[in-house]
Amino acid sequence: MVPVPSIIFMTISCLAVFGFAVGLAVFLKKKKGADLLPFFVGAAVMFLFAFVLENLVHSVVLTNTSTGSNLLLYSIYGGLMAGLFEETGRLIAFKTVLKKKLDKKANALMYGAGHGCFEAIWILGIAMINNLIWSILINSGNTALLYSSVTEGMEAQISLTIATLISSSPFVFLAGLIERSFAIVIQISLSVFVWYAVREKRIGYYFCALALHAVIDFLTAFVSGSGVSIILVELLIGVLALISALSAGKIYTKVIE
């Protein structure tokens, strides 16, 4: 049986990630005067550049090289690719679709909100929905349904997933929400860097965002893969989010509309 606290935390995480996306967009529009367009552009760029184009590169590189088998190399590669694709996507968006929206500072925040919230929904929200469906089937005695439509050879993976849902600490299903919250802060901060780079024609800030993104993803991947406690991993991400926010805040406050 999947513990009831685990199911409760899955539900909380799922509802929170969708609710936070809506709430943040409404707050930035109502309280900061931001336009809604940057939110949807940020989401679209995240999908296209990270989940489509970047994943296409991963499918080639990780399939045809030994990069994935070396934690250090994989972490460096993953960080660089994330920084390159996502920050370039931001740069293109601000230079094209959003070029007439650069005057409002709040649009930098709105873009980052769309970018980060879509990532959270894609990674955490959908995963929690899937976990909830599996948990309900397991606890209702319908585990056989999980095996009914899988291809041959996938039975072991199904069994491992079931065992993980049953044995994992309930906290694990809240940890993802904490991590995604920090990630949204980072995504908004990086968006401020690139927005400023385009608005003020200072391309160096784009490269700063790329480098910062690469370092953050490298550290997160390397520390996580090293078997460090999940609590320490979340603390690391929190510190990185704070550093990113403070850096972006200095840029944001010095711009006069």
Side-chain angles (χ1 to χ4, degrees), residues 53-90:
L53 298 179
E54 185 182 343
N55 277 343
L56 285 175
V57 174
H58 291 335
S59 66
V60 174
V61 174
L62 299 179
T63 301
N64 297 286
T65 70
S66 59
T67 302
S69 61
N70 183 300
L71 178 59
L72 178 60
L73 183 59
Y74 175 75
S75 300
I76 294 173
Y77 162 78
L80 287 173
M81 288 299 99
L84 178 63
F85 277 93
E86 291 185 46
E87 302 318 313
T88 301
R90 284 185 234 266

Coordinates of all heavy atoms in Angstrom, one line a residue, residues 53-90:
L53 N 14.2 20.8 -28.5 CA 15.5 21.0 -29.1 C 16.7 20.4 -28.3 O 17.5 19.7 -28.8 CB 15.8 22.4 -29.5 CG 14.8 23.1 -30.4 CD1 15.2 24.6 -30.6 CD2 14.8 22.3 -31.8
E54 N 16.7 20.8 -27.0 CA 17.8 20.3 -26.1 C 17.7 18.8 -26.0 O 18.7 18.1 -26.0 CB 17.7 20.9 -24.7 CG 18.8 20.5 -23.8 CD 18.7 21.1 -22.4 OE1 17.9 22.1 -22.2 OE2 19.4 20.6 -21.5
N55 N 16.5 18.2 -25.9 CA 16.3 16.8 -25.7 C 16.7 16.0 -27.0 O 17.2 14.9 -27.0 CB 14.9 16.4 -25.4 CG 14.6 16.5 -23.9 OD1 15.6 16.5 -23.1 ND2 13.4 16.6 -23.5
L56 N 16.6 16.7 -28.2 CA 17.1 16.1 -29.4 C 18.6 15.9 -29.4 O 19.1 14.9 -29.8 CB 16.6 17.0 -30.6 CG 15.2 16.9 -31.0 CD1 14.9 17.9 -32.1 CD2 14.8 15.5 -31.5
V57 N 19.3 17.0 -28.9 CA 20.7 16.9 -28.8 C 21.1 15.8 -27.8 O 22.0 15.0 -28.0 CB 21.3 18.2 -28.3 CG1 22.8 18.1 -28.1 CG2 21.0 19.3 -29.4
H58 N 20.4 15.7 -26.7 CA 20.7 14.7 -25.7 C 20.5 13.3 -26.3 O 21.3 12.4 -26.0 CB 19.7 14.8 -24.5 CG 20.0 16.0 -23.6 ND1 21.2 16.7 -23.6 CD2 19.1 16.7 -22.8 CE1 21.1 17.7 -22.7 NE2 19.9 17.8 -22.3
S59 N 19.5 13.1 -27.1 CA 19.2 11.8 -27.6 C 20.4 11.3 -28.5 O 20.7 10.1 -28.6 CB 17.9 11.8 -28.4 OG 18.0 12.6 -29.6
V60 N 21.0 12.3 -29.2 CA 22.2 12.0 -30.0 C 23.4 11.8 -29.2 O 24.1 10.8 -29.3 CB 22.4 13.1 -31.1 CG1 23.7 12.8 -31.9 CG2 21.2 13.2 -32.0
V61 N 23.7 12.7 -28.3 CA 25.0 12.7 -27.6 C 25.0 11.6 -26.6 O 26.0 10.8 -26.5 CB 25.2 14.1 -26.8 CG1 26.4 14.0 -25.9 CG2 25.4 15.2 -27.8
L62 N 24.0 11.4 -25.8 CA 24.0 10.4 -24.7 C 23.8 9.0 -25.3 O 24.2 8.0 -24.6 CB 22.8 10.7 -23.7 CG 23.0 12.1 -23.0 CD1 21.8 12.3 -22.0 CD2 24.3 12.2 -22.3
T63 N 23.3 8.9 -26.5 CA 23.2 7.6 -27.1 C 24.4 7.1 -27.7 O 24.8 5.9 -27.7 CB 22.0 7.5 -28.1 OG1 20.8 7.9 -27.5 CG2 21.9 6.2 -28.8
N64 N 25.2 8.0 -28.3 CA 26.4 7.7 -29.1 C 27.7 8.0 -28.4 O 28.8 7.8 -29.0 CB 26.3 8.5 -30.4 CG 25.2 8.1 -31.2 OD1 25.1 7.0 -31.8 ND2 24.2 8.9 -31.3
T65 N 27.7 8.4 -27.1 CA 28.9 8.7 -26.4 C 28.8 8.1 -25.0 O 27.7 7.6 -24.6 CB 29.2 10.2 -26.2 OG1 28.3 10.8 -25.4 CG2 29.2 10.8 -27.6
S66 N 29.8 8.1 -24.2 CA 29.8 7.6 -22.9 C 29.6 8.7 -21.8 O 29.9 8.5 -20.6 CB 31.2 6.8 -22.6 OG 32.3 7.7 -22.7
T67 N 29.1 9.8 -22.3 CA 29.0 11.0 -21.4 C 28.1 10.6 -20.2 O 28.4 11.0 -19.1 CB 28.3 12.1 -22.2 OG1 29.1 12.5 -23.3 CG2 28.2 13.3 -21.3
G68 N 27.0 9.9 -20.4 CA 26.1 9.6 -19.3 C 26.6 8.7 -18.3 O 26.1 8.6 -17.2
S69 N 27.7 8.0 -18.5 CA 28.3 7.1 -17.6 C 29.3 7.7 -16.6 O 29.8 7.0 -15.7 CB 28.9 5.9 -18.3 OG 30.0 6.3 -19.1
N70 N 29.6 8.9 -16.9 CA 30.6 9.6 -16.1 C 29.9 10.8 -15.4 O 29.5 11.8 -16.1 CB 31.8 10.1 -16.9 CG 32.9 10.8 -16.1 OD1 32.6 11.8 -15.5 ND2 34.1 10.3 -16.2
L71 N 29.7 10.8 -14.1 CA 29.0 11.8 -13.4 C 29.5 13.2 -13.6 O 28.7 14.1 -13.9 CB 28.9 11.5 -11.9 CG 28.2 12.5 -11.0 CD1 26.7 12.7 -11.5 CD2 28.2 12.1 -9.5
L72 N 30.8 13.4 -13.5 CA 31.4 14.7 -13.7 C 31.2 15.2 -15.1 O 30.7 16.4 -15.3 CB 32.9 14.7 -13.4 CG 33.7 16.0 -13.5 CD1 33.1 17.1 -12.6 CD2 35.1 15.8 -13.3
L73 N 31.5 14.4 -16.1 CA 31.3 14.8 -17.4 C 29.8 15.1 -17.8 O 29.5 16.0 -18.5 CB 31.9 13.7 -18.4 CG 31.8 14.0 -19.9 CD1 32.6 15.3 -20.2 CD2 32.4 12.8 -20.7
Y74 N 29.0 14.2 -17.3 CA 27.5 14.3 -17.5 C 27.0 15.6 -16.9 O 26.2 16.3 -17.5 CB 26.8 13.2 -16.9 CG 25.3 13.3 -17.0 CD1 24.6 13.1 -18.3 CD2 24.5 13.6 -15.9 CE1 23.2 13.2 -18.4 CE2 23.1 13.7 -16.0 CZ 22.5 13.5 -17.2 OH 21.1 13.6 -17.3
S75 N 27.5 16.0 -15.7 CA 27.0 17.2 -15.0 C 27.5 18.4 -15.8 O 26.7 19.4 -15.9 CB 27.5 17.2 -13.6 OG 27.1 16.1 -12.9
I76 N 28.7 18.4 -16.2 CA 29.3 19.6 -17.0 C 28.5 19.7 -18.3 O 28.0 20.8 -18.6 CB 30.8 19.4 -17.3 CG1 31.6 19.4 -16.0 CG2 31.3 20.4 -18.3 CD1 33.0 19.1 -16.2
Y77 N 28.3 18.6 -19.0 CA 27.6 18.6 -20.3 C 26.1 19.1 -20.1 O 25.6 20.0 -20.8 CB 27.6 17.2 -20.9 CG 26.5 17.0 -21.9 CD1 26.7 17.5 -23.2 CD2 25.3 16.3 -21.6 CE1 25.7 17.3 -24.2 CE2 24.3 16.1 -22.6 CZ 24.5 16.6 -23.9 OH 23.6 16.4 -24.8
G78 N 25.4 18.5 -19.0 CA 24.1 18.9 -18.8 C 23.9 20.4 -18.4 O 23.0 21.1 -18.9
G79 N 24.8 20.9 -17.6 CA 24.8 22.3 -17.3 C 25.0 23.2 -18.4 O 24.3 24.2 -18.6
L80 N 26.0 22.9 -19.3 CA 26.2 23.7 -20.4 C 25.1 23.7 -21.4 O 24.7 24.8 -22.0 CB 27.5 23.2 -21.1 CG 28.8 23.6 -20.4 CD1 30.0 22.9 -21.1 CD2 29.1 25.1 -20.4
M81 N 24.5 22.5 -21.7 CA 23.4 22.4 -22.6 C 22.2 23.2 -22.1 O 21.5 23.9 -22.9 CB 23.0 21.0 -22.9 CG 24.0 20.2 -23.7 SD 24.3 20.9 -25.3 CE 25.8 21.8 -25.1
A82 N 21.9 23.1 -20.8 CA 20.7 23.8 -20.2 C 20.9 25.3 -20.4 O 20.0 26.0 -20.8 CB 20.5 23.4 -18.8
G83 N 22.1 25.8 -20.0 CA 22.4 27.2 -20.1 C 22.3 27.7 -21.6 O 21.7 28.7 -21.8
L84 N 22.9 26.9 -22.5 CA 22.9 27.4 -23.9 C 21.6 27.4 -24.5 O 21.2 28.4 -25.1 CB 23.8 26.4 -24.7 CG 23.9 26.7 -26.2 CD1 24.6 28.0 -26.4 CD2 24.7 25.5 -26.9
F85 N 20.8 26.4 -24.3 CA 19.5 26.3 -25.0 C 18.5 27.3 -24.3 O 17.8 28.0 -25.0 CB 18.9 24.9 -25.0 CG 19.4 24.1 -26.1 CD1 20.6 23.3 -25.9 CD2 18.8 24.1 -27.3 CE1 21.1 22.5 -27.0 CE2 19.3 23.3 -28.4 CZ 20.5 22.5 -28.2
E86 N 18.4 27.3 -23.0 CA 17.4 28.1 -22.4 C 17.7 29.6 -22.4 O 16.8 30.4 -22.7 CB 17.2 27.7 -20.9 CG 16.5 26.3 -20.8 CD 16.2 25.9 -19.3 OE1 15.7 26.8 -18.6 OE2 16.5 24.8 -18.9
E87 N 18.9 30.0 -22.2 CA 19.3 31.4 -22.3 C 19.2 31.9 -23.7 O 18.9 33.1 -23.9 CB 20.6 31.6 -21.7 CG 20.8 31.2 -20.2 CD 19.6 31.5 -19.4 OE1 19.1 32.7 -19.4 OE2 19.1 30.6 -18.7
T88 N 19.6 31.1 -24.7 CA 19.5 31.5 -26.1 C 18.0 31.6 -26.5 O 17.6 32.6 -27.2 CB 20.2 30.5 -27.0 OG1 21.6 30.4 -26.7 CG2 20.1 30.9 -28.5
G89 N 17.2 30.8 -25.9 CA 15.7 30.9 -26.2 C 15.2 32.2 -25.6 O 14.4 32.9 -26.3
R90 N 15.6 32.5 -24.4 CA 15.2 33.8 -23.8 C 15.7 35.0 -24.7 O 14.9 35.9 -25.0 CB 15.8 34.0 -22.4 CG 15.2 33.2 -21.3 CD 15.9 33.6 -20.0 NE 16.3 32.4 -19.3 CZ 15.7 31.7 -18.4 NH1 14.5 32.1 -18.0 NH2 16.2 30.7 -17.8

